Amino acid sequence: MTTDTCRAWLLRFGGALAAMLVSAPTFAELAICTTPQRPDCPMALTQPAGQEFTFSRLMFADNQVAIENLGDRIGYPHWQADCSESEPHFIAALKRLTRLDTNSASQSISLLDDRIYDYPLLYIVEAGFASFSQPEADNLREYLLRGGFLLVDDFHGSYQWEEFEGWMRQVFPERPIVEIPPTHEIFNVHFAIDDFIQIPGLRALCLNPGETWELPIMKSSAISESNASRQQPRWRGVLDDDGRVMAIINWNMDLGDAWEHADMEEYSALYTATAYRLGVNYVMYGMTH
């Protein structure tokens, strides 16, 4: 998020948001809020990787209605959020913290690309703004039933949840989304997760100082959601017939921002450490189940 972007938000949405930011003296002092954030995402690899694991980000078309309803016009496709720094940081952590043969390069890939079946995990951000065609949904279903794993991250509030549920029903109309309990193996497969805390994104830190939950930029008259729907993190999933987690859903949190900003002193080490442990667990679970 650039300073110009924040100013544009103020000019566009004025009033209450402007008053909130002006009254928060810490905002202007946080370098993390004024560092340019222009994503530069690598495209799909032309040949299957020789390594066991390649970090693969899922591409999608934006849901323009959802973007307009929440005023979330970021200037680039939502699937690209944070890719420039998030992936390299997390890949470095995988190499340091595990023995997994991890590719140093990452990729962005479409569900219409048959090469998705060469890669065991797909990562999707801003899932509340995603839109999938039925062929894409059918391919995601096939991918997951064959043993693939979907990591869902960085979406917030009841409105985005409903949008996410809508396209997930395209994939699995017959399978419910269930709560994943803290005792589940996925939270202990490599690291034991003890603190199930809300991991804030940059927008929470910069636009909602002192809180870990993300304010919407705006809400149109079509939106009916309370801020309370954004304040509690939830770990949910979709299971196969044998109880394997096919999709792990991190709602009301932003692991990618925590990976990205691990070396920024303004971003708490508690959040980054938890996000890295969760991410490593998800990869190891997806690779072994």
Side-chain angles (χ1 to χ4, degrees):
M1 173 194 317
T2 65
T3 302
D4 288 343
T5 300
C6 293
R7 287 186 184 130
W9 285 349
L10 288 178
L11 291 173
R12 185 183 294 270
F13 307 120
L17 181 58
M20 179 188 72
L21 293 181
V22 170
S23 66
T26 58
F27 171 76
E29 299 166 7
L30 292 179
I32 198 171
C33 297
T34 57
T35 301
Q37 303 290 320
R38 299 304 305 177
D40 182 15
C41 304
M43 293 295 98
L45 301 178
T46 56
Q47 298 292 331
Q51 295 79 15
E52 289 180 286
F53 178 74
T54 297
F55 194 102
S56 302
R57 175 181 287 246
L58 191 57
M59 303 167 67
F60 57 81
D62 274 339
N63 179 342
Q64 294 297 330
V65 173
I67 290 170
E68 291 302 313
N69 280 337
L70 289 179
D72 210 276
R73 308 172 192 90
I74 58 177
Y76 48 83
H78 279 69
W79 69 263
Q80 294 183 357
D82 307 320
C83 66
S84 300
E85 300 296 332
S86 176
E87 270 93 314
H89 278 77
F90 185 61
I91 289 167
L94 281 174
K95 288 176 173 290
R96 185 174 68 253
L97 299 172
T98 76
R99 295 182 180 179
L100 186 63
D101 182 19
T102 301
N103 192 352
S104 296
S106 63
Q107 66 173 344
S108 309
I109 194 164
S110 164
L111 285 169
L112 298 179
D113 189 330
D114 287 341
R115 290 172 293 182
I116 59 172
Y117 301 106
D118 294 326
Y119 302 97
L121 183 147
L122 297 175
Y123 174 67
I124 180 170
V125 301
E126 301 275 7
F129 295 114
S131 176
F132 291 109
S133 66
Q134 195 56 51
E136 288 175 300
D138 292 342
N139 286 353
L140 181 55
R141 176 189 178 92
E142 180 69 16
Y143 170 85
L144 296 174
L145 290 176
R146 285 194 196 185
F149 186 79
L150 181 68
L151 170 51
V152 184
D153 184 32
D154 188 12
F155 71 120
H156 312 266
S158 60
Y159 177 76
Q160 289 189 52
W161 176 263
E162 290 167 3
E163 296 298 313
F164 164 75
E165 271 191 314
W167 65 256
M168 185 54 77
R169 280 195 297 270
Q170 287 181 261
V171 180
F172 288 120
E174 78 286 9
R175 293 182 186 272
I177 297 173
V178 300
E179 300 289 335
I180 305 297
T183 55
H184 194 282
E185 180 186 4
I186 201 168
F187 300 123
N188 293 277
V189 68
H190 191 79
F191 292 109
I193 305 299
D194 299 317
D195 294 322
F196 288 81
I197 59 175
Q198 186 169 39
I199 299 168
L202 186 62
R203 191 177 294 178
L205 180 66
C206 296
L207 300 185
N208 200 15
E211 302 291 348
T212 56
W213 55 277
E214 182 175 296
L215 281 167
I217 299 304
M218 61 162 280
K219 288 188 285 190
S220 76
S221 59
I223 303 301
S224 176
E225 74 166 16
S226 68
N227 284 338
S229 74
R230 294 170 168 262
Q231 292 171 1
Q232 295 298 321
R234 291 288 185 269
W235 289 263
R236 294 170 174 166
V238 178
L239 311 182
D240 70 7
D241 292 341
D242 296 320
R244 173 182 72 95
V245 178
M246 294 187 288
I248 185 72
I249 302 158
N250 299 264
W251 180 44
N252 286 337
M253 60 192 112
D254 191 342
L255 304 184
D257 263 8
W259 300 340
E260 178 181 9
H261 299 299
D263 53 0
M264 300 289 285
E265 63 179 351
E266 299 98 334
Y267 196 93
S268 170
L270 173 64
Y271 304 138
T272 58
T274 303
Y276 276 104
R277 291 186 181 110
L278 283 168
V280 169
N281 275 15
Y282 296 154
V283 170
M284 299 305 290
Y285 183 92
M287 293 290 291
T288 57
H289 290 70

